[in-house]
Amino acid sequence: MLDEGTPLFVQIAEQLADDVADGTLVEGDRVPSTNELAAFYRINPATAAKGINTLIDEGLLEKRRGLGMFVAMGARERLLADRRKQFAEQYLDPMLIEAKRLGIDTDTLVSLIRGSSHITGGGTTP
Amino acid sequence: MTPTISAVGLTRRYREQTALDDVTVDIESGTITGLLGRNGAGKSTFMRVVTAQEFATSGTVRVFGEDPVENDAVLRRMVFVREDQVFPDFKVRHAIRAASWFYPNWDAEFAETLLADFDLPRNRAIKKLSRGMRSALSIVIGMGARAELTLLDEPYAGLDAVARQLFYDRLLADYAAHPRTVLLSTHLIDEVADLLEHVVMIDRGRIMLDAPADEVRGSAATISGPAIAVEDFVAGRRVWHRRSIGSRTSVTVAGPLDAADKARAGALHLKLEPLSLQQLMVHTSDDTTEARATA
């Protein structure tokens, strides 16, 4: 589950952020403690703490003294807004580069996207 | 914070061989540090000097700020689990009781739990235990001691994968609940990589690397693909290793590689693989790499 190359604490932060983004963790939920994360992922507790602290710095989690770590209010909205901003760079650009390499023009690409809309269950009209 | 172990210019020479060669390193308090290296690299010698079972030829070592040699107050604050631990001729429970007298932080309940976890029969004579069971007993004592400094030198000879995982899990949980300084030497690097906060790599008695585990992760990568594109990508980087077959080349370079590098590798159709800690050690101690020439 954890891969090489990306710092472990970043992966821990990303997985918790993913849980917030897809609603597995909702605002006000308690998130696992540093020691629980360390035991589950079999990583050093300091690494788990660094992951948690990253999310506190980003305002996605908040510490409640004596109680633990909780998902902050508005965390999901802010996370989704950030991810929408990064969408083009992370997903669109690589796709366009590969499409160009394969000689797929924009019209073909658009029709491919329309044809794949069954994945998301969405309609074919914008 | 004062480091738990502080070595300065530490050298240990035997007749013909230099086991530790001018080692200067700090082991920070409250961390799990991995002491990694090949067999004979100097890992055990370092631990034996730290625990005053061997003496430095030159240089100094301080443990909790003091010289450990003939220093009972310091020695009682540490526990040393040796790969080749020799026990007197008595039973498991006697070894446990002796340990309970010696170590001030001994947790009898925890030790009993560990004995049960590892299926160690309390009334069995130690000399009748298998190799793996003797290792397990050493681990039980090493962890039950809850010493401020816990030195584990290849502690799991003969332990199977299940027992090793049990050891890692118990160590992690108990370290989380009772923080202490742990120095763990091993050559099963991939198994312990994620447990470590800090990494010290030693080769031929010299420190090759001393860095936080997070920095080490992804600190080198192998780039492979068409030779021209690979060479273009690695231009200006420190090359550790280079292999070619036909028009394809695979080059290992010192990192780190950022998102822009990754995007560029993608655009050039190059495959980019970060090195694991274990692969990193192989490269660090491999004479045939270009590391020494370019270091």
Side-chain angles (χ1 to χ4, degrees):
Chain A
M1 167 129 76
L2 301 174
D3 69 75
E4 293 295 334
T6 312
L8 278 177
F9 77 92
V10 174
Q11 297 184 49
I12 296 299
E14 278 173 357
Q15 291 192 6
L16 284 171
D18 280 347
D19 284 350
V20 172
D22 66 21
T24 309
L25 284 169
V26 300
E27 288 159 16
D29 271 2
R30 192 183 81 87
V31 300
S33 73
T34 309
N35 289 351
E36 287 166 347
L37 287 170
F40 182 77
Y41 290 110
R42 295 182 160 141
I43 56 170
N44 191 290
T47 311
K50 216 168 152 187
I52 294 258
N53 286 334
T54 308
L55 296 179
I56 291 176
D57 291 345
E58 289 168 9
L60 297 179
L61 299 184
E62 58 189 16
K63 198 182 260 177
R64 291 186 203 156
R65 205 174 289 273
L67 294 174
M69 223 65 66
F70 294 81
V71 181
M73 288 302 146
R76 182 159 186 267
E77 265 322 299
R78 242 172 310 140
L79 195 61
L80 292 183
D82 282 350
R83 290 195 171 185
R84 282 185 198 111
K85 266 188 238 160
Q86 292 161 9
F87 181 76
E89 194 183 308
Q90 282 193 346
Y91 297 95
L92 227 45
D93 295 354
M95 183 176 80
L96 292 174
I97 290 168
E98 181 67 12
K100 192 176 168 199
R101 185 190 299 166
L102 300 176
I104 299 172
D105 63 22
T106 310
D107 287 342
T108 316
L109 203 56
V110 169
S111 61
L112 276 172
I113 293 170
R114 292 226 162 97
S116 301
S117 61
H118 63 274
I119 293 173
T120 55
T124 50
T125 47
Chain B
M1 206 192 293
T2 323
T4 301
I5 302 173
S6 184
V8 178
L10 194 63
T11 299
R12 169 64 179 162
R13 247 179 242 113
Y14 303 109
R15 265 162 214 273
E16 307 255 300
Q17 190 201 353
T18 305
L20 291 177
D21 189 358
D22 195 21
V23 166
T24 296
V25 69
D26 283 348
I27 306 299
E28 295 302 328
S29 300
T31 62
I32 301 181
T33 297
L35 185 60
L36 313 178
R38 306 181 61 183
N39 291 331
K43 307 187 297 287
S44 301
T45 307
F46 180 75
M47 290 196 179
R48 286 198 298 268
V49 172
V50 166
T51 51
Q53 302 191 351
E54 246 180 60
F55 306 117
T57 308
S58 61
T60 59
V61 64
R62 290 286 173 270
V63 183
F64 306 114
E66 293 181 45
D67 186 347
V69 176
E70 291 183 17
N71 191 333
D72 194 51
V74 166
L75 295 176
R76 275 176 191 267
R77 293 168 72 186
M78 55 171 122
V79 63
F80 181 24
V81 174
R82 301 172 57 137
E83 186 182 8
D84 51 353
Q85 190 73 47
V86 180
F87 290 97
D89 183 14
F90 52 29
K91 293 180 176 176
V92 168
R93 63 188 163 88
H94 298 143
I96 295 292
R97 197 179 329 144
S100 76
W101 292 329
F102 186 78
Y103 297 107
N105 294 340
W106 182 261
D107 185 326
E109 204 177 312
F110 180 47
E112 287 301 324
T113 310
L114 290 172
L115 281 182
D117 286 345
F118 284 106
D119 287 326
L120 278 171
R122 300 177 79 258
N123 288 315
R124 177 96 42 103
I126 293 172
K127 65 178 176 189
K128 295 224 170 115
L129 296 180
S130 67
R131 186 72 236 260
M133 282 172 133
R134 276 206 309 279
S135 292
L137 177 58
S138 297
I139 286 171
V140 171
I141 292 171
M143 287 172 58
R146 288 238 174 93
E148 286 167 75
L149 172 57
T150 301
L151 299 124
L152 304 164
D153 186 14
E154 302 276 1
Y156 30 48
L159 283 188
D160 61 25
V162 176
R164 291 202 302 273
Q165 189 61 64
L166 184 67
F167 161 58
Y168 303 139
D169 286 354
R170 292 296 179 274
L171 176 67
L172 208 50
D174 200 58
Y175 164 81
H178 304 273
R180 51 205 195 250
T181 308
V182 178
L183 185 62
L184 172 66
S185 92
T186 183
H187 47 237
L188 299 175
I189 298 173
D190 280 344
E191 283 192 8
V192 304
D194 294 350
L195 306 187
L196 307 176
E197 184 173 347
H198 202 91
V199 174
V200 174
M201 245 177 230
I202 187 166
D203 189 46
R204 274 162 266 216
R206 292 180 154 272
I207 302 287
M208 305 299 288
L209 179 97
D210 173 9
D214 266 343
E215 278 175 28
V216 178
R217 216 165 229 288
S219 72
T222 298
I223 294 110
S224 37
I228 297 166
V230 170
E231 294 305 340
D232 183 33
F233 185 88
V234 303
R237 292 179 187 276
R238 206 174 107 196
V239 172
W240 282 8
H241 193 71
R242 189 180 257 108
R243 293 192 311 152
S244 297
I245 178 163
S247 64
R248 295 188 73 79
T249 295
S250 177
V251 176
T252 303
V253 295
L257 300 175
D258 58 22
D261 290 327
K262 285 176 190 165
R264 188 159 159 251
L268 287 166
H269 311 267
L270 300 176
K271 198 169 149 206
L272 218 159
E273 291 165 294
L275 253 63
S276 72
L277 202 52
Q278 180 147 317
Q279 292 166 321
L280 194 71
M281 200 206 77
V282 170
H283 280 289
T284 309
S285 19
D286 186 355
D287 260 341
T288 63
T289 66
E290 297 168 49
R292 276 159 208 283
T294 54

